[in-house]
mmCIF file of all heavy atoms in Angstrom:
data_model
loop_
_atom_site.group_PDB
_atom_site.id
_atom_site.type_symbol
_atom_site.label_atom_id
_atom_site.label_comp_id
_atom_site.label_asym_id
_atom_site.label_seq_id
_atom_site.Cartn_x
_atom_site.Cartn_y
_atom_site.Cartn_z
ATOM 1 N N MET A 1 31.416 20.429 -18.933
ATOM 2 C CA MET A 1 30.425 19.796 -18.063
ATOM 3 C C MET A 1 29.453 20.824 -17.501
ATOM 4 O O MET A 1 28.280 20.545 -17.355
ATOM 5 C CB MET A 1 31.171 19.070 -16.937
ATOM 6 C CG MET A 1 30.319 18.072 -16.226
ATOM 7 S SD MET A 1 29.913 16.708 -17.343
ATOM 8 C CE MET A 1 28.956 15.720 -16.259
ATOM 9 N N ILE A 2 29.937 22.026 -17.199
ATOM 10 C CA ILE A 2 29.069 23.059 -16.638
ATOM 11 C C ILE A 2 28.035 23.492 -17.669
ATOM 12 O O ILE A 2 26.875 23.742 -17.323
ATOM 13 C CB ILE A 2 29.899 24.257 -16.145
ATOM 14 C CG1 ILE A 2 30.763 23.815 -14.956
ATOM 15 C CG2 ILE A 2 29.012 25.415 -15.756
ATOM 16 C CD1 ILE A 2 31.745 24.864 -14.491
ATOM 17 N N ILE A 3 28.435 23.552 -18.948
ATOM 18 C CA ILE A 3 27.492 23.940 -20.003
ATOM 19 C C ILE A 3 26.364 22.917 -20.083
ATOM 20 O O ILE A 3 25.195 23.282 -20.220
ATOM 21 C CB ILE A 3 28.230 24.072 -21.353
ATOM 22 C CG1 ILE A 3 29.229 25.222 -21.275
ATOM 23 C CG2 ILE A 3 27.249 24.286 -22.484
ATOM 24 C CD1 ILE A 3 30.139 25.316 -22.470
ATOM 25 N N PHE A 4 26.700 21.641 -19.999
ATOM 26 C CA PHE A 4 25.679 20.589 -20.031
ATOM 27 C C PHE A 4 24.706 20.740 -18.867
ATOM 28 O O PHE A 4 23.491 20.597 -19.039
ATOM 29 C CB PHE A 4 26.345 19.210 -19.997
ATOM 30 C CG PHE A 4 25.361 18.084 -19.894
ATOM 31 C CD1 PHE A 4 24.579 17.736 -20.979
ATOM 32 C CD2 PHE A 4 25.215 17.389 -18.700
ATOM 33 C CE1 PHE A 4 23.665 16.703 -20.882
ATOM 34 C CE2 PHE A 4 24.305 16.362 -18.592
ATOM 35 C CZ PHE A 4 23.521 16.011 -19.690
ATOM 36 N N GLU A 5 25.208 21.045 -17.683
ATOM 37 C CA GLU A 5 24.345 21.212 -16.512
ATOM 38 C C GLU A 5 23.410 22.407 -16.679
ATOM 39 O O GLU A 5 22.248 22.347 -16.300
ATOM 40 C CB GLU A 5 25.187 21.378 -15.255
ATOM 41 C CG GLU A 5 25.912 20.103 -14.854
ATOM 42 C CD GLU A 5 26.865 20.324 -13.699
ATOM 43 O OE1 GLU A 5 27.004 21.471 -13.237
ATOM 44 O OE2 GLU A 5 27.486 19.333 -13.269
ATOM 45 N N LYS A 6 23.920 23.502 -17.248
ATOM 46 C CA LYS A 6 23.076 24.671 -17.488
ATOM 47 C C LYS A 6 21.966 24.357 -18.472
ATOM 48 O O LYS A 6 20.812 24.748 -18.277
ATOM 49 C CB LYS A 6 23.914 25.842 -18.017
ATOM 50 C CG LYS A 6 24.724 26.527 -16.963
ATOM 51 C CD LYS A 6 25.427 27.730 -17.561
ATOM 52 C CE LYS A 6 26.195 28.484 -16.498
ATOM 53 N NZ LYS A 6 26.860 29.667 -17.039
ATOM 54 N N ILE A 7 22.308 23.652 -19.556
ATOM 55 C CA ILE A 7 21.302 23.291 -20.553
ATOM 56 C C ILE A 7 20.258 22.372 -19.940
ATOM 57 O O ILE A 7 19.050 22.557 -20.150
ATOM 58 C CB ILE A 7 21.967 22.631 -21.782
ATOM 59 C CG1 ILE A 7 22.819 23.662 -22.521
ATOM 60 C CG2 ILE A 7 20.926 22.027 -22.715
ATOM 61 C CD1 ILE A 7 23.687 23.073 -23.604
ATOM 62 N N LEU A 8 20.698 21.405 -19.168
ATOM 63 C CA LEU A 8 19.767 20.476 -18.528
ATOM 64 C C LEU A 8 18.861 21.194 -17.545
ATOM 65 O O LEU A 8 17.635 20.987 -17.538
ATOM 66 C CB LEU A 8 20.542 19.367 -17.810
ATOM 67 C CG LEU A 8 19.694 18.280 -17.155
ATOM 68 C CD1 LEU A 8 18.933 17.505 -18.217
ATOM 69 C CD2 LEU A 8 20.571 17.338 -16.347
ATOM 70 N N PHE A 9 19.403 22.079 -16.737
ATOM 71 C CA PHE A 9 18.606 22.830 -15.774
ATOM 72 C C PHE A 9 17.583 23.703 -16.482
ATOM 73 O O PHE A 9 16.418 23.759 -16.080
ATOM 74 C CB PHE A 9 19.502 23.676 -14.877
ATOM 75 C CG PHE A 9 18.729 24.532 -13.914
ATOM 76 C CD1 PHE A 9 18.170 23.967 -12.783
ATOM 77 C CD2 PHE A 9 18.543 25.876 -14.159
ATOM 78 C CE1 PHE A 9 17.449 24.746 -11.891
ATOM 79 C CE2 PHE A 9 17.823 26.664 -13.280
ATOM 80 C CZ PHE A 9 17.272 26.094 -12.144
ATOM 81 N N ASN A 10 17.992 24.409 -17.535
ATOM 82 C CA ASN A 10 17.062 25.255 -18.274
ATOM 83 C C ASN A 10 15.951 24.442 -18.917
ATOM 84 O O ASN A 10 14.797 24.865 -18.934
ATOM 85 C CB ASN A 10 17.798 26.066 -19.337
ATOM 86 C CG ASN A 10 18.587 27.190 -18.721
ATOM 87 O OD1 ASN A 10 18.261 27.673 -17.655
ATOM 88 N ND2 ASN A 10 19.636 27.604 -19.409
ATOM 89 N N PHE A 11 16.278 23.270 -19.441
ATOM 90 C CA PHE A 11 15.273 22.406 -20.049
ATOM 91 C C PHE A 11 14.257 21.940 -19.010
ATOM 92 O O PHE A 11 13.051 21.997 -19.242
ATOM 93 C CB PHE A 11 15.944 21.194 -20.711
ATOM 94 C CG PHE A 11 14.966 20.242 -21.330
ATOM 95 C CD1 PHE A 11 14.328 20.559 -22.512
ATOM 96 C CD2 PHE A 11 14.688 19.030 -20.710
ATOM 97 C CE1 PHE A 11 13.416 19.681 -23.082
ATOM 98 C CE2 PHE A 11 13.782 18.142 -21.265
ATOM 99 C CZ PHE A 11 13.150 18.468 -22.458
ATOM 100 N N VAL A 12 14.734 21.515 -17.846
ATOM 101 C CA VAL A 12 13.841 21.053 -16.780
ATOM 102 C C VAL A 12 12.965 22.200 -16.277
ATOM 103 O O VAL A 12 11.760 22.033 -16.085
ATOM 104 C CB VAL A 12 14.644 20.411 -15.630
ATOM 105 C CG1 VAL A 12 13.758 20.140 -14.427
ATOM 106 C CG2 VAL A 12 15.297 19.124 -16.099
ATOM 107 N N ALA A 13 13.547 23.375 -16.085
ATOM 108 C CA ALA A 13 12.779 24.523 -15.609
ATOM 109 C C ALA A 13 11.708 24.912 -16.624
ATOM 110 O O ALA A 13 10.567 25.206 -16.255
ATOM 111 C CB ALA A 13 13.710 25.698 -15.342
ATOM 112 N N PHE A 14 12.055 24.913 -17.902
ATOM 113 C CA PHE A 14 11.087 25.261 -18.944
ATOM 114 C C PHE A 14 9.967 24.232 -19.004
ATOM 115 O O PHE A 14 8.788 24.578 -19.104
ATOM 116 C CB PHE A 14 11.800 25.351 -20.299
ATOM 117 C CG PHE A 14 10.905 25.787 -21.412
ATOM 118 C CD1 PHE A 14 10.484 27.099 -21.506
ATOM 119 C CD2 PHE A 14 10.486 24.875 -22.370
ATOM 120 C CE1 PHE A 14 9.656 27.504 -22.532
ATOM 121 C CE2 PHE A 14 9.655 25.267 -23.395
ATOM 122 C CZ PHE A 14 9.240 26.586 -23.484
ATOM 123 N N PHE A 15 10.314 22.949 -18.906
ATOM 124 C CA PHE A 15 9.301 21.888 -18.935
ATOM 125 C C PHE A 15 8.341 22.018 -17.757
ATOM 126 O O PHE A 15 7.130 21.898 -17.921
ATOM 127 C CB PHE A 15 9.976 20.516 -18.921
ATOM 128 C CG PHE A 15 8.993 19.379 -18.839
ATOM 129 C CD1 PHE A 15 8.260 19.008 -19.944
ATOM 130 C CD2 PHE A 15 8.806 18.708 -17.640
ATOM 131 C CE1 PHE A 15 7.346 17.970 -19.866
ATOM 132 C CE2 PHE A 15 7.893 17.665 -17.550
ATOM 133 C CZ PHE A 15 7.163 17.295 -18.669
ATOM 134 N N LEU A 16 8.877 22.271 -16.562
ATOM 135 C CA LEU A 16 8.015 22.428 -15.387
ATOM 136 C C LEU A 16 7.113 23.652 -15.518
ATOM 137 O O LEU A 16 5.941 23.603 -15.127
ATOM 138 C CB LEU A 16 8.865 22.535 -14.117
ATOM 139 C CG LEU A 16 9.490 21.241 -13.638
ATOM 140 C CD1 LEU A 16 10.397 21.511 -12.447
ATOM 141 C CD2 LEU A 16 8.424 20.230 -13.256
ATOM 142 N N PHE A 17 7.640 24.731 -16.081
ATOM 143 C CA PHE A 17 6.829 25.927 -16.274
ATOM 144 C C PHE A 17 5.661 25.634 -17.211
ATOM 145 O O PHE A 17 4.519 25.982 -16.911
ATOM 146 C CB PHE A 17 7.689 27.064 -16.838
ATOM 147 C CG PHE A 17 6.891 28.264 -17.233
ATOM 148 C CD1 PHE A 17 6.370 29.106 -16.277
ATOM 149 C CD2 PHE A 17 6.654 28.534 -18.568
ATOM 150 C CE1 PHE A 17 5.626 30.215 -16.630
ATOM 151 C CE2 PHE A 17 5.916 29.637 -18.938
ATOM 152 C CZ PHE A 17 5.398 30.473 -17.968
ATOM 153 N N ILE A 18 5.927 24.972 -18.338
ATOM 154 C CA ILE A 18 4.867 24.652 -19.299
ATOM 155 C C ILE A 18 3.863 23.701 -18.664
ATOM 156 O O ILE A 18 2.650 23.851 -18.830
ATOM 157 C CB ILE A 18 5.475 24.041 -20.580
ATOM 158 C CG1 ILE A 18 6.340 25.073 -21.295
ATOM 159 C CG2 ILE A 18 4.393 23.511 -21.502
ATOM 160 C CD1 ILE A 18 5.595 26.294 -21.787
ATOM 161 N N PHE A 19 4.339 22.715 -17.912
ATOM 162 C CA PHE A 19 3.453 21.734 -17.280
ATOM 163 C C PHE A 19 2.515 22.413 -16.281
ATOM 164 O O PHE A 19 1.306 22.192 -16.297
ATOM 165 C CB PHE A 19 4.307 20.666 -16.584
ATOM 166 C CG PHE A 19 3.493 19.618 -15.887
ATOM 167 C CD1 PHE A 19 2.841 18.647 -16.616
ATOM 168 C CD2 PHE A 19 3.401 19.604 -14.502
ATOM 169 C CE1 PHE A 19 2.083 17.678 -15.974
ATOM 170 C CE2 PHE A 19 2.650 18.645 -13.855
ATOM 171 C CZ PHE A 19 1.992 17.677 -14.600
ATOM 172 N N ILE A 20 3.052 23.257 -15.414
ATOM 173 C CA ILE A 20 2.227 23.945 -14.412
ATOM 174 C C ILE A 20 1.266 24.914 -15.093
ATOM 175 O O ILE A 20 0.093 25.026 -14.713
ATOM 176 C CB ILE A 20 3.120 24.666 -13.389
ATOM 177 C CG1 ILE A 20 3.883 23.634 -12.555
ATOM 178 C CG2 ILE A 20 2.309 25.582 -12.490
ATOM 179 C CD1 ILE A 20 4.976 24.223 -11.688
ATOM 180 N N PHE A 21 1.747 25.608 -16.116
ATOM 181 C CA PHE A 21 0.916 26.562 -16.851
ATOM 182 C C PHE A 21 -0.276 25.840 -17.494
ATOM 183 O O PHE A 21 -1.425 26.286 -17.377
ATOM 184 C CB PHE A 21 1.778 27.243 -17.916
ATOM 185 C CG PHE A 21 1.137 28.441 -18.541
ATOM 186 C CD1 PHE A 21 1.015 29.616 -17.829
ATOM 187 C CD2 PHE A 21 0.687 28.386 -19.847
ATOM 188 C CE1 PHE A 21 0.441 30.729 -18.408
ATOM 189 C CE2 PHE A 21 0.109 29.489 -20.429
ATOM 190 C CZ PHE A 21 -0.011 30.660 -19.708
ATOM 191 N N ALA A 22 -0.023 24.700 -18.137
ATOM 192 C CA ALA A 22 -1.095 23.935 -18.781
ATOM 193 C C ALA A 22 -2.077 23.392 -17.748
ATOM 194 O O ALA A 22 -3.292 23.384 -17.975
ATOM 195 C CB ALA A 22 -0.502 22.792 -19.605
ATOM 196 N N LYS A 23 -1.566 22.966 -16.613
ATOM 197 C CA LYS A 23 -2.425 22.433 -15.560
ATOM 198 C C LYS A 23 -3.357 23.520 -15.018
ATOM 199 O O LYS A 23 -4.539 23.278 -14.779
ATOM 200 C CB LYS A 23 -1.540 21.890 -14.442
ATOM 201 C CG LYS A 23 -2.201 20.880 -13.550
ATOM 202 C CD LYS A 23 -1.161 20.284 -12.607
ATOM 203 C CE LYS A 23 -1.751 19.149 -11.835
ATOM 204 N NZ LYS A 23 -0.812 18.578 -10.887
ATOM 205 N N MET A 24 -2.832 24.737 -14.846
ATOM 206 C CA MET A 24 -3.669 25.831 -14.351
ATOM 207 C C MET A 24 -4.717 26.244 -15.376
ATOM 208 O O MET A 24 -5.836 26.586 -15.013
ATOM 209 C CB MET A 24 -2.797 27.027 -13.986
ATOM 210 C CG MET A 24 -1.946 26.798 -12.772
ATOM 211 S SD MET A 24 -0.932 28.218 -12.433
ATOM 212 C CE MET A 24 -1.583 28.689 -10.859
ATOM 213 N N ILE A 25 -4.358 26.221 -16.652
ATOM 214 C CA ILE A 25 -5.330 26.578 -17.683
ATOM 215 C C ILE A 25 -6.464 25.547 -17.707
ATOM 216 O O ILE A 25 -7.631 25.906 -17.858
ATOM 217 C CB ILE A 25 -4.643 26.691 -19.060
ATOM 218 C CG1 ILE A 25 -3.774 27.940 -19.087
ATOM 219 C CG2 ILE A 25 -5.669 26.736 -20.181
ATOM 220 C CD1 ILE A 25 -2.958 28.094 -20.341
ATOM 221 N N ARG A 26 -6.132 24.275 -17.540
ATOM 222 C CA ARG A 26 -7.176 23.244 -17.524
ATOM 223 C C ARG A 26 -8.134 23.441 -16.348
ATOM 224 O O ARG A 26 -9.318 23.165 -16.466
ATOM 225 C CB ARG A 26 -6.545 21.855 -17.446
ATOM 226 C CG ARG A 26 -6.269 21.274 -18.810
ATOM 227 C CD ARG A 26 -5.878 19.830 -18.720
ATOM 228 N NE ARG A 26 -4.477 19.736 -19.136
ATOM 229 C CZ ARG A 26 -3.530 19.148 -18.439
ATOM 230 N NH1 ARG A 26 -3.790 18.568 -17.307
ATOM 231 N NH2 ARG A 26 -2.299 19.125 -18.886
ATOM 232 N N LYS A 27 -7.619 23.898 -15.218
ATOM 233 C CA LYS A 27 -8.468 24.130 -14.039
ATOM 234 C C LYS A 27 -9.153 25.491 -14.080
ATOM 235 O O LYS A 27 -9.892 25.831 -13.169
ATOM 236 C CB LYS A 27 -7.634 24.045 -12.766
ATOM 237 C CG LYS A 27 -7.167 22.656 -12.427
ATOM 238 C CD LYS A 27 -6.418 22.676 -11.106
ATOM 239 C CE LYS A 27 -5.989 21.284 -10.709
ATOM 240 N NZ LYS A 27 -5.271 21.293 -9.434
ATOM 241 N N ASN A 28 -8.858 26.299 -15.108
ATOM 242 C CA ASN A 28 -9.368 27.668 -15.228
ATOM 243 C C ASN A 28 -8.972 28.532 -14.043
ATOM 244 O O ASN A 28 -9.719 29.409 -13.628
ATOM 245 C CB ASN A 28 -10.894 27.681 -15.394
ATOM 246 C CG ASN A 28 -11.315 27.171 -16.745
ATOM 247 O OD1 ASN A 28 -10.595 27.325 -17.719
ATOM 248 N ND2 ASN A 28 -12.468 26.560 -16.800
ATOM 249 N N ASP A 29 -7.805 28.266 -13.498
ATOM 250 C CA ASP A 29 -7.281 29.083 -12.399
ATOM 251 C C ASP A 29 -6.366 30.136 -13.008
ATOM 252 O O ASP A 29 -5.160 29.954 -13.101
ATOM 253 C CB ASP A 29 -6.518 28.204 -11.410
ATOM 254 C CG ASP A 29 -6.105 28.971 -10.179
ATOM 255 O OD1 ASP A 29 -6.579 30.115 -10.005
ATOM 256 O OD2 ASP A 29 -5.310 28.440 -9.388
ATOM 257 N N THR A 30 -6.953 31.246 -13.450
ATOM 258 C CA THR A 30 -6.196 32.241 -14.206
ATOM 259 C C THR A 30 -5.646 33.348 -13.321
ATOM 260 O O THR A 30 -5.110 34.321 -13.827
ATOM 261 C CB THR A 30 -7.089 32.852 -15.294
ATOM 262 O OG1 THR A 30 -8.252 33.399 -14.670
ATOM 263 C CG2 THR A 30 -7.498 31.808 -16.314
ATOM 264 N N ASN A 31 -5.761 33.223 -12.009
ATOM 265 C CA ASN A 31 -5.296 34.279 -11.120
ATOM 266 C C ASN A 31 -3.776 34.437 -11.152
ATOM 267 O O ASN A 31 -3.265 35.536 -11.013
ATOM 268 C CB ASN A 31 -5.720 33.995 -9.674
ATOM 269 C CG ASN A 31 -7.223 34.006 -9.537
ATOM 270 O OD1 ASN A 31 -7.918 34.691 -10.268
ATOM 271 N ND2 ASN A 31 -7.719 33.224 -8.599
ATOM 272 N N TYR A 32 -3.057 33.339 -11.342
ATOM 273 C CA TYR A 32 -1.605 33.373 -11.231
ATOM 274 C C TYR A 32 -0.902 33.409 -12.585
ATOM 275 O O TYR A 32 0.310 33.369 -12.636
ATOM 276 C CB TYR A 32 -1.114 32.162 -10.447
ATOM 277 C CG TYR A 32 -1.599 32.161 -9.012
ATOM 278 C CD1 TYR A 32 -2.605 31.311 -8.588
ATOM 279 C CD2 TYR A 32 -1.049 33.042 -8.098
ATOM 280 C CE1 TYR A 32 -3.055 31.328 -7.280
ATOM 281 C CE2 TYR A 32 -1.482 33.063 -6.790
ATOM 282 C CZ TYR A 32 -2.480 32.204 -6.388
ATOM 283 O OH TYR A 32 -2.915 32.223 -5.100
ATOM 284 N N ILE A 33 -1.651 33.457 -13.676
ATOM 285 C CA ILE A 33 -1.018 33.398 -14.997
ATOM 286 C C ILE A 33 -0.123 34.608 -15.227
ATOM 287 O O ILE A 33 0.994 34.475 -15.728
ATOM 288 C CB ILE A 33 -2.085 33.255 -16.099
ATOM 289 C CG1 ILE A 33 -2.673 31.844 -16.026
ATOM 290 C CG2 ILE A 33 -1.495 33.520 -17.471
ATOM 291 C CD1 ILE A 33 -3.733 31.555 -17.033
ATOM 292 N N SER A 34 -0.571 35.807 -14.834
ATOM 293 C CA SER A 34 0.261 36.989 -15.041
ATOM 294 C C SER A 34 1.541 36.899 -14.211
ATOM 295 O O SER A 34 2.620 37.291 -14.673
ATOM 296 C CB SER A 34 -0.515 38.257 -14.694
ATOM 297 O OG SER A 34 -0.933 38.227 -13.345
ATOM 298 N N ILE A 35 1.451 36.358 -13.008
ATOM 299 C CA ILE A 35 2.645 36.199 -12.167
ATOM 300 C C ILE A 35 3.607 35.200 -12.803
ATOM 301 O O ILE A 35 4.826 35.424 -12.832
ATOM 302 C CB ILE A 35 2.245 35.758 -10.745
ATOM 303 C CG1 ILE A 35 1.421 36.865 -10.077
ATOM 304 C CG2 ILE A 35 3.471 35.415 -9.913
ATOM 305 C CD1 ILE A 35 0.804 36.469 -8.764
ATOM 306 N N LEU A 36 3.073 34.111 -13.344
ATOM 307 C CA LEU A 36 3.933 33.118 -13.989
ATOM 308 C C LEU A 36 4.633 33.702 -15.214
ATOM 309 O O LEU A 36 5.811 33.423 -15.452
ATOM 310 C CB LEU A 36 3.103 31.894 -14.404
ATOM 311 C CG LEU A 36 2.710 30.938 -13.286
ATOM 312 C CD1 LEU A 36 1.790 29.865 -13.826
ATOM 313 C CD2 LEU A 36 3.935 30.309 -12.667
ATOM 314 N N ILE A 37 3.915 34.508 -15.978
ATOM 315 C CA ILE A 37 4.523 35.114 -17.167
ATOM 316 C C ILE A 37 5.649 36.059 -16.757
ATOM 317 O O ILE A 37 6.727 36.055 -17.357
ATOM 318 C CB ILE A 37 3.455 35.829 -18.009
ATOM 319 C CG1 ILE A 37 2.524 34.789 -18.640
ATOM 320 C CG2 ILE A 37 4.092 36.694 -19.080
ATOM 321 C CD1 ILE A 37 1.321 35.373 -19.321
ATOM 322 N N LEU A 38 5.416 36.857 -15.714
ATOM 323 C CA LEU A 38 6.465 37.763 -15.245
ATOM 324 C C LEU A 38 7.686 37.004 -14.739
ATOM 325 O O LEU A 38 8.827 37.399 -14.981
ATOM 326 C CB LEU A 38 5.921 38.671 -14.139
ATOM 327 C CG LEU A 38 4.938 39.743 -14.596
ATOM 328 C CD1 LEU A 38 4.368 40.486 -13.380
ATOM 329 C CD2 LEU A 38 5.617 40.716 -15.532
ATOM 330 N N GLU A 39 7.462 35.888 -14.054
ATOM 331 C CA GLU A 39 8.592 35.097 -13.572
ATOM 332 C C GLU A 39 9.354 34.476 -14.732
ATOM 333 O O GLU A 39 10.579 34.378 -14.692
ATOM 334 C CB GLU A 39 8.100 34.000 -12.624
ATOM 335 C CG GLU A 39 7.699 34.536 -11.269
ATOM 336 C CD GLU A 39 7.293 33.445 -10.313
ATOM 337 O OE1 GLU A 39 7.559 32.266 -10.597
ATOM 338 O OE2 GLU A 39 6.740 33.778 -9.260
ATOM 339 N N ALA A 40 8.631 34.063 -15.773
ATOM 340 C CA ALA A 40 9.313 33.491 -16.940
ATOM 341 C C ALA A 40 10.180 34.534 -17.618
ATOM 342 O O ALA A 40 11.320 34.257 -17.995
ATOM 343 C CB ALA A 40 8.276 32.934 -17.916
ATOM 344 N N ILE A 41 9.679 35.757 -17.743
ATOM 345 C CA ILE A 41 10.465 36.839 -18.352
ATOM 346 C C ILE A 41 11.694 37.144 -17.500
ATOM 347 O O ILE A 41 12.791 37.337 -18.011
ATOM 348 C CB ILE A 41 9.582 38.087 -18.550
ATOM 349 C CG1 ILE A 41 8.520 37.798 -19.616
ATOM 350 C CG2 ILE A 41 10.431 39.288 -18.935
ATOM 351 C CD1 ILE A 41 7.465 38.881 -19.709
ATOM 352 N N ARG A 42 11.505 37.142 -16.185
ATOM 353 C CA ARG A 42 12.642 37.396 -15.290
ATOM 354 C C ARG A 42 13.693 36.298 -15.403
ATOM 355 O O ARG A 42 14.891 36.556 -15.388
ATOM 356 C CB ARG A 42 12.136 37.490 -13.848
ATOM 357 C CG ARG A 42 13.207 37.830 -12.853
ATOM 358 C CD ARG A 42 12.693 37.681 -11.477
ATOM 359 N NE ARG A 42 12.239 36.311 -11.281
ATOM 360 C CZ ARG A 42 12.416 35.619 -10.166
ATOM 361 N NH1 ARG A 42 12.980 36.183 -9.139
ATOM 362 N NH2 ARG A 42 12.000 34.386 -10.054
ATOM 363 N N ASN A 43 13.243 35.045 -15.524
ATOM 364 C CA ASN A 43 14.185 33.927 -15.589
ATOM 365 C C ASN A 43 14.930 33.868 -16.913
ATOM 366 O O ASN A 43 16.025 33.314 -16.974
ATOM 367 C CB ASN A 43 13.453 32.601 -15.348
ATOM 368 C CG ASN A 43 13.032 32.458 -13.907
ATOM 369 O OD1 ASN A 43 13.605 33.086 -13.026
ATOM 370 N ND2 ASN A 43 12.021 31.650 -13.663
ATOM 371 N N ILE A 44 14.350 34.430 -17.980
ATOM 372 C CA ILE A 44 15.059 34.451 -19.269
ATOM 373 C C ILE A 44 16.307 35.315 -19.143
ATOM 374 O O ILE A 44 17.357 34.978 -19.679
ATOM 375 C CB ILE A 44 14.116 34.959 -20.373
ATOM 376 C CG1 ILE A 44 13.074 33.883 -20.690
ATOM 377 C CG2 ILE A 44 14.906 35.309 -21.630
ATOM 378 C CD1 ILE A 44 11.993 34.350 -21.620
ATOM 379 N N ASN A 45 16.189 36.414 -18.420
ATOM 380 C CA ASN A 45 17.348 37.296 -18.246
ATOM 381 C C ASN A 45 18.304 36.657 -17.283
ATOM 382 O O ASN A 45 19.425 36.761 -17.239
ATOM 383 C CB ASN A 45 16.911 38.664 -17.705
ATOM 384 C CG ASN A 45 16.073 39.392 -18.718
ATOM 385 O OD1 ASN A 45 16.177 39.121 -19.905
ATOM 386 N ND2 ASN A 45 15.241 40.277 -18.268
#
């Protein structure tokens, strides 16, 4: 059951990251893109 919860959490976190990233690109708000990329790399570890 714990493995399922981890997979579900990772899927939701990844989906939210892609959604926010796409939304910022559409608004041309590129100030936070480098911060988001660094947070994604940190979260992979």
